């Protein structure tokens, strides 16, 4: 497998999978970290991780989740899909503690956690063509246009994701921000190793002529082409049954906010 994704992500304007934010770890979360962390947390390392050994020799399919927040969705999916193993990445200690607490309360055994930047985990610890699936739910949409360059779903990162999937593996994303949803399908549809599983084509609605890429543009930030604005594109799927609706999502839906799911398969 080519090392091209790694080289492209070594730029000064390197994409990161997180934004630093404050948050207090509760006593219960810290207790879960102290008691369950040694069993379920995997330290970051600059060498490939043996995924089977990480799950006590399990031969089950391996699914990676990037940015699980407080772990509500992650724990629910792991419980529902006991036949799969889930490696979940998050940088914030309260989220690590919250998910470990859920693991203990629910008696889950098919979850492992890494507290580190997901880009570096993918580059250093995950071998090419080793994952059966990848989940990225509600990544920071960076609403302001001047911050769009910080969005996770850009072409170099998508190539890195695709390189870690097995043939036939899947990539499932969800977002509640329409402009980011459109960026997602425009970027992902351009990755030749991925197939959009959607059946309905849509027009781009949230990008306009002022957003079109220029020859003078540099860096990895996504900007659409004129052709992309003029064409229809395969885009969204119905929410897969294994992805639960979170309390936050439920509140948004009641307020009329949209949620978009995208599912791709690796060729």
């Amino acid at each position: 497998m080519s090392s091209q994704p790694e080289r492209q992500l070594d730029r000064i304007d390197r994409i990161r999978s997180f934004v630093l934010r404050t948050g207090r770890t509760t006593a219960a979360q810290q207790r879960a970290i102290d008691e369950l962390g040694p069993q379920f947390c995997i330290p970051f390392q600059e060498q490939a991780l043996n995924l089977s050994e990480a799950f006590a020799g399990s031969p089950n399919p391996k699914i990676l989740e990037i940015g699980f927040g407080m772990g509500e969705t992650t724990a629910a999916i792991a419980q529902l899909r006991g036949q799969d193993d889930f490696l979940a990445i998050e940088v914030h200690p309260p989220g690590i503690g919250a998910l470990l607490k859920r693991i203990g309360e629910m008696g889950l055994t098919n979850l492992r956690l890494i507290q580190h930047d997901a880009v570096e985990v993918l580059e250093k610890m995950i071998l090419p063509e080793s994952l059966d699936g990848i989940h990225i739910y509600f990544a920071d949409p960076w609403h302001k246009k001047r911050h769009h360059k910080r969005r996770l779903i850009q072409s170099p990162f998508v190539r890195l994701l695709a390189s870690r999937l097995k043939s036939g593996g899947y990539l499932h994303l969800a977002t509640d921000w329409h402009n980011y949803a459109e960026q997602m399908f425009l970027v992902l549809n351009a990755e030749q190793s991925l197939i959009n599983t959607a059946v309905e084509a849509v027009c781009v609605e949230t990008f306009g002529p002022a957003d079109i890429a220029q020859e003078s543009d540099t860096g990895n930030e996504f900007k659409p082409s004129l052709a992309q604005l003029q064409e229809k594109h395969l885009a969204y799927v119905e929410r897969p049954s294994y992805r639960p609706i979170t309390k936050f999502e439920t509140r948004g839906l009641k307020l009329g906010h949209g949620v978009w799911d995208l599912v791709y398969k690796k060729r």
Side-chain angles (χ1 to χ4, degrees), residues 186 203-205 207-215 217 222-233:
L186 290 173
C203 294
V204 175
E205 298 178 5
F207 289 97
D211 302 308
I212 292 175
Q214 305 296 322
E215 290 185 4
D217 290 337
F222 168 77
K223 292 186 178 181
S225 66
L226 177 60
Q228 286 176 317
L229 297 186
Q230 295 173 335
E231 298 168 356
K232 284 191 172 183
H233 308 268

Side-chain angles (χ1 to χ4, degrees), residues 162-226:
S163 74
R164 270 43 181 175
L165 282 172
K166 297 177 181 177
S167 177
Y170 73 93
L171 172 61
H172 179 194
L173 304 96
T175 182
D176 59 356
W177 193 252
H178 193 189
N179 178 257
Y180 201 8
E182 293 194 334
Q183 176 172 328
M184 286 178 176
F185 72 65
L186 290 173
V187 172
L188 290 159
N189 287 359
E191 173 52 51
Q192 295 186 357
S193 66
L194 297 176
I195 303 171
N196 193 326
T197 65
V199 296
E200 183 179 354
V202 302
C203 294
V204 175
E205 298 178 5
T206 67
F207 289 97
D211 302 308
I212 292 175
Q214 305 296 322
E215 290 185 4
S216 59
D217 290 337
T218 59
N220 297 321
E221 178 184 357
F222 168 77
K223 292 186 178 181
S225 66
L226 177 60

Side-chain angles (χ1 to χ4, degrees), residues 12-62:
I12 295 175
D13 56 350
R14 174 185 180 86
I15 299 168
R16 307 198 79 167
S17 66
F18 65 95
V19 57
L20 292 174
R21 61 178 183 267
T22 59
R24 186 177 68 86
T25 303
T26 67
Q29 291 165 356
Q30 188 59 54
R31 184 162 56 251
I33 291 172
D34 295 339
E35 295 177 359
L36 299 176
Q39 179 180 356
F40 292 100
C41 289
I42 299 172
F44 172 75
Q45 60 189 37
E46 294 199 1
Q47 60 185 25
L49 175 68
N50 186 311
L51 289 172
S52 178
E53 289 182 0
F55 290 87
S58 167
N60 292 340
K62 301 297 187 285

